[in-house]
Amino acid sequence: MSDALVTVRPRRIRVVCWASAATLLVVFSLVATSLTGRTGDGYGTFQRGDQLAMIGLGVFGALGILLFTRPRVVADARGVRVRNVIGSYELPWEVVRGVRFDRGAPWASLELHDDDLLPMVALQAADKELAVEGVRALRRLHQAHLAALAGDPAPR
């Protein structure tokens, strides 16, 4: 079998998430600097802790957005490792029936022998040609594994 390694990460969503996280952090920081003086007609006043709490909320929001940059697919001759927004899976090629990227689907998925579908969020339709190349590379690795099982030394 070949020692090919395929690593795929989404491109467009990462750019959008990093820009959104930075914007959110800037907005929350600007709001925090404007929290001064009285809270209205009441007796309360905004203090330094209120400003820091607002910046902290911006940091937590930005980190939540950056979770969407987590997806990745890494595959080699032995199997495939899929890391989605929440959850990771490591599967040998023996349990994979095929790599699917249906028309109109937001991302590709692995079809397993037990009729489950495992979504691969890293291969998003929004990335167009990058996703298609990733799916083709995964299919080549899967076909090479199937050919090795069948005893064919040279897969197509």
Side-chain angles (χ1 to χ4, degrees):
M1 268 193 243
S2 74
D3 293 329
L5 179 69
V6 174
T7 302
V8 182
R9 296 186 73 188
R11 183 178 296 153
R12 183 173 288 183
I13 193 72
R14 287 178 35 215
V15 171
V16 169
C17 286
W18 278 101
S20 300
T23 302
L24 184 75
L25 194 53
V26 167
V27 167
F28 270 76
S29 297
L30 290 175
V31 169
T33 59
S34 69
L35 291 179
T36 58
R38 297 174 57 94
T39 60
D41 293 335
Y43 296 106
T45 59
F46 289 113
Q47 311 234 339
R48 179 72 56 196
D50 299 319
Q51 292 174 326
L52 292 175
M54 187 61 72
I55 292 172
L57 286 174
V59 168
F60 281 125
L63 290 174
I65 290 172
L66 290 178
L67 275 176
F68 291 94
T69 64
R70 188 174 183 266
R72 175 183 295 173
V73 174
V74 178
D76 58 17
R78 291 173 295 165
V80 59
R81 288 164 295 289
V82 178
R83 185 172 70 182
N84 289 328
V85 175
I86 299 174
S88 297
Y89 307 91
E90 187 166 346
L91 304 169
W93 285 118
E94 288 84 15
V95 301
V96 177
R97 182 184 298 157
V99 180
R100 293 177 54 168
F101 201 173
D102 298 332
R103 184 177 300 276
W107 45 69
S109 57
L110 291 175
E111 184 177 4
L112 307 179
H113 282 290
D114 62 359
D115 293 329
D116 279 343
L117 284 178
L118 177 66
M120 294 185 292
V121 180
L123 292 163
Q124 298 185 357
D127 287 332
K128 296 181 177 31
E129 199 57 40
L130 177 71
V132 171
E133 289 172 17
V135 167
R136 286 179 180 155
L138 288 175
R139 286 178 177 162
R140 280 192 300 272
L141 280 174
H142 185 242
Q143 289 300 320
H145 174 76
L146 293 176
L149 286 179
D152 184 12
R156 299 187 254 154

